Amino acid sequence: MTIWTELADVDFRQAYVDAGGIRTRALQAGPEDGEHVVFLHGTTGHLEAFVRNIGPHARRYRCHAIDMLGHGYTDKPDKPGEIPAYVEHLLAYLDAVGAKKAHLVGESLGGWVAAWTASEHPERVATLQLLCMGGTKVNPEVMQRLKTSTTAASLEDDIELTRKRLRLLWAEWDDDLGDELTEVRYDIYHRPEFQKNLHNLLALQETETRERNLLRPERMARISAPTLVVWGNKNPFGDVPEAHAIADAIPGARLEIFPECGHWPQHEQADRYNPLSLEFLAEAS
Amino acid sequence: MTGIRFGYADSSLGQLHYAECGTGEPVVLLHQTPRSWDEYREVLPLLGATHRAIAMDTAGFGRSAPPAEHGIEHYAAAVLEFLDALGLDRVSLVGHHTGGVVAIEVAASAPERVERLVLSSTPWVDAASREARATRPPIDHVPVSEDGEHLATLWRRRQAFYPKGRPDLLTRFVRDALVLGDDVEAGHHAVGQYRMEERIGKVSAPALCIGASADPHAFPQLGALSSRLNNAKVVIVEGGMVPLMEEHAEEVVRVIARFLT
């Protein structure tokens, strides 16, 4: 099994889209006239987080898995990666592809960005899926671990550090795609532009910056889009009570807890996630 | 302080003070602001086991004569005079914080004098950093007060960046800082004016960048610096803070010695 074979039956395109001056890598698939679904990865991540979801969703929806600002192979302007900048970039992408409205699926940081977008620009967001969403807490230990492990994986030669960084995320090592995803992440992490930009990429792991961007209950209460919160009960970056707090803060939100699952529910338990997501999207349409 | 010997080298500025230990390939160690050779007190005998380890008081710090004016180029020029005075044709340089910036300038201005470069917790300074640093409040400068309260303020400002339970390290910091009087901020100011982006391209010596993961100002800049050097190696010391050289001397010397062979 490889990323290629996962996508073998999918009519997809890897595009580089000019989103408000930011050259943005996007994996696009699905009917041109389908409702737009945008998939947003986590901190230091990349669009490959959704390789198991594109195929099933592209049967019905116009799918876009993008590398967010400063991430993956997307441009990395020299400014701190704060949430409003990510939101601005996302909206610029939507404008560039002619999407007036989109369903947003965000994992971790991606969820933080998606939720913020829904709270500020409700007219652009059809539905919201928040997968192990970050941004509701300041946990200095987790932040420090993320900074150190990412910096080590990016700057030191040893690919084991990147493998370790991925191991952190999942409840179980992915025997099928784990090695390939390690190679992908290693390549991204070792691009000089990525290394130069580390301090901007990790800006939200600094307490003062994080506080400024925190997703507080008052903000989440403003979200009107139908929302599905998905959480792995073995999420290393936030415990199940956090998921409940989020689902409680967002009006009408639905909560699904995946057992034996870590930080990437959409990937670790794609067979459970895909039908759940498709059902949720269909319900909302 | 087993085996550490002290000396003065003559230069156009006056006498430059240093401490050394060991024999073999020479390694010159440059301290941060506002320290002195004493930052390397633990490192000297350890590195001295395999190299001639020489910790210099940067011009204008410790017991070294001051430069005509404070500035990274002036500190670097004094290092080169120091090498001349000691008859050292080619050395490896180790710099921590400000010391790393000085090491970069030495390597850029006289590449034939530098074998290898070890840059520990060294900042990346470009136009954006210079602008940010210009508006930062003073790091170590505290106006003198008759009741001595400025000594406590000096201590407390650094305390957050030092490991708990090591007042001895803060004492050594305060002692070095007091020698400088009002010039205590000069080294920080010098870093804040340095046009590193114009000089880094001239560095040809193989470089190792050391990051201390619990040094909140230096650590985030590790990638910005290492990615701009040619094939720099990077090693991270987990839990290392601002006084990395003193707190983690054994680990740092292991890393440096491995890189220098």
Side-chain angles (χ1 to χ4, degrees):
Chain A
M1 184 53 68
T2 72
I3 292 173
W4 267 125
T5 55
E6 281 284 354
L7 295 171
D9 295 309
V10 184
D11 183 349
F12 74 91
R13 180 184 173 212
Q14 178 181 266
Y16 278 88
V17 174
D18 181 342
I22 305 291
R23 187 170 177 267
T24 304
R25 184 176 71 133
L27 198 120
Q28 300 169 333
E32 296 266 352
D33 60 353
E35 284 174 21
H36 298 275
V37 180
V38 179
F39 297 89
L40 304 171
H41 58 72
T43 303
T44 83
H46 38 92
L47 59 81
E48 283 79 3
F50 297 101
V51 292
R52 292 195 169 133
N53 317 111
I54 299 294
H57 285 75
R59 286 184 208 127
R60 183 164 162 193
Y61 297 96
R62 181 70 184 157
C63 299
H64 312 258
I66 71 172
D67 285 341
M68 292 198 292
L69 188 73
H71 285 78
Y73 298 102
T74 289
D75 276 352
K76 297 161 180 62
D78 184 14
K79 57 177 186 175
E82 299 203 33
I83 299 297
Y86 288 116
V87 171
E88 192 185 320
H89 173 245
L90 170 63
L91 293 174
Y93 178 82
L94 294 181
D95 291 342
V97 299
K100 289 202 189 70
K101 225 174 153 100
H103 302 275
L104 300 181
V105 177
E107 181 262 331
S108 195
L109 172 68
W112 191 347
V113 174
W116 195 283
T117 307
S119 73
E120 292 283 319
H121 307 276
E123 71 291 354
R124 305 300 298 266
V125 181
T127 65
L128 205 55
Q129 289 186 46
L130 308 173
L131 319 180
C132 294
M133 182 180 77
T136 57
K137 287 211 154 9
V138 178
N139 185 330
E141 213 184 279
V142 170
M143 289 150 66
Q144 183 62 26
R145 186 156 32 111
L146 213 132
K147 275 189 284 190
T148 307
S149 64
T150 304
T151 303
S154 169
L155 303 182
E156 298 195 44
D157 286 336
D158 189 2
I159 195 170
E160 276 315 300
L161 295 170
T162 301
R163 186 168 283 118
K164 208 165 104 168
R165 178 71 181 79
L166 280 177
R167 239 183 247 283
L168 262 183
L169 298 175
W170 308 325
E172 262 172 45
W173 181 250
D174 178 357
D175 287 324
D176 287 329
L177 294 182
D179 287 345
E180 195 181 354
L181 288 170
T182 301
E183 295 272 349
V184 169
R185 188 165 282 222
Y186 186 86
D187 186 74
I188 288 167
Y189 275 8
H190 280 76
R191 295 275 167 122
E193 300 72 40
F194 186 93
Q195 295 173 330
K196 275 190 191 75
N197 194 54
L198 264 174
H199 59 291
N200 288 325
L201 191 81
L202 296 171
L204 290 169
Q205 311 308 320
E206 304 295 337
T207 302
E208 204 185 302
T209 304
R210 195 177 189 85
E211 298 265 5
R212 190 161 53 235
N213 286 270
L214 216 58
L215 213 39
R216 295 176 205 280
E218 311 83 75
R219 179 175 287 279
M220 289 192 276
R222 283 166 24 202
I223 294 172
S224 54
T227 302
L228 170 67
V229 178
V230 179
W231 211 265
N233 76 342
K234 292 201 160 130
N235 179 20
F237 294 112
D239 291 330
V240 169
E242 219 173 297
H244 282 282
I246 293 164
D248 287 341
I250 299 174
R254 180 174 152 192
L255 174 62
E256 294 286 337
I257 314 264
F258 284 14
E260 305 309 306
C261 185
H263 203 52
W264 281 25
Q266 80 285 358
H267 181 89
E268 293 174 66
Q269 295 185 12
D271 290 340
R272 183 191 219 109
Y273 169 76
N274 287 328
L276 172 70
S277 168
L278 291 166
E279 178 219 320
F280 171 74
L281 291 169
E283 229 171 67
S285 294
Chain B
M1 302 192 218
T2 14
I4 298 181
R5 295 187 56 73
F6 299 89
Y8 286 94
D10 287 324
S11 78
S12 65
L13 312 174
Q15 292 186 301
L16 298 171
H17 179 252
Y18 65 98
E20 66 169 318
C21 189
T23 56
E25 292 293 314
V27 183
V28 174
L29 305 139
L30 303 172
H31 59 77
Q32 66 173 292
T33 304
R35 300 299 312 279
S36 70
W37 75 272
D38 184 67
E39 171 142 59
Y40 292 103
R41 195 201 296 181
E42 284 80 4
V43 165
L44 282 171
L46 293 171
L47 189 59
T50 52
H51 293 77
R52 182 181 175 193
I54 308 167
M56 181 193 159
D57 286 349
T58 298
F61 296 74
R63 287 195 154 122
S64 280
E69 54 180 284
H70 282 270
I72 300 298
E73 293 82 357
H74 292 269
Y75 301 150
V79 171
L80 288 167
E81 282 200 60
F82 175 75
L83 299 187
D84 290 342
L86 260 55
L88 299 171
D89 197 39
R90 217 167 137 85
V91 301
S92 285
L93 286 176
V94 173
H96 186 54
H97 273 269
T98 304
V101 181
V102 177
I104 286 171
E105 179 55 27
V106 174
S109 60
E112 71 288 358
R113 306 298 293 272
V114 181
E115 185 74 43
R116 293 194 155 219
L117 208 52
V118 177
L119 304 171
S120 169
S121 296
T122 301
W124 167 251
V125 190
D126 60 5
S129 330
R130 285 191 295 276
E131 208 183 297
R133 281 162 183 272
T135 55
R136 235 172 34 181
I139 297 169
D140 294 315
H141 187 265
V142 188
V144 173
S145 57
E146 290 260 351
D147 64 354
E149 188 58 37
H150 61 291
L151 300 174
T153 306
L154 183 61
W155 179 285
R156 283 183 199 132
R157 267 203 210 153
R158 279 267 170 161
Q159 206 172 2
F161 303 99
Y162 271 57
K164 292 201 185 352
R166 294 299 303 270
D168 61 310
L169 297 183
L170 281 162
T171 300
R172 285 159 65 182
F173 153 74
V174 168
R175 196 184 64 191
D176 278 346
L178 289 177
V179 163
L180 302 176
D182 281 331
D183 275 346
V184 71
E185 204 65 23
H188 298 303
H189 186 70
V191 170
Q193 306 254 287
Y194 186 55
R195 307 182 76 87
M196 196 179 281
E197 73 277 20
E198 290 171 13
R199 304 299 286 160
I200 199 91
K202 301 195 193 301
V203 174
S204 55
L208 166 69
C209 295
I210 301 179
S213 75
D215 182 331
H217 290 300
F219 192 63
Q221 305 185 51
L222 188 56
L225 177 62
S226 71
S227 62
R228 288 174 165 98
L229 289 157
N230 233 336
N231 262 321
K233 297 259 163 288
V234 171
V235 170
I236 291 170
V237 176
E238 257 198 75
M241 304 179 83
V242 165
L244 178 74
M245 295 294 161
E246 295 150 284
E247 277 184 279
H248 290 272
E250 278 170 23
E251 191 175 343
V252 171
V253 169
R254 244 194 327 268
V255 166
I256 292 175
R258 192 168 53 221
F259 176 67
L260 293 182
T261 45

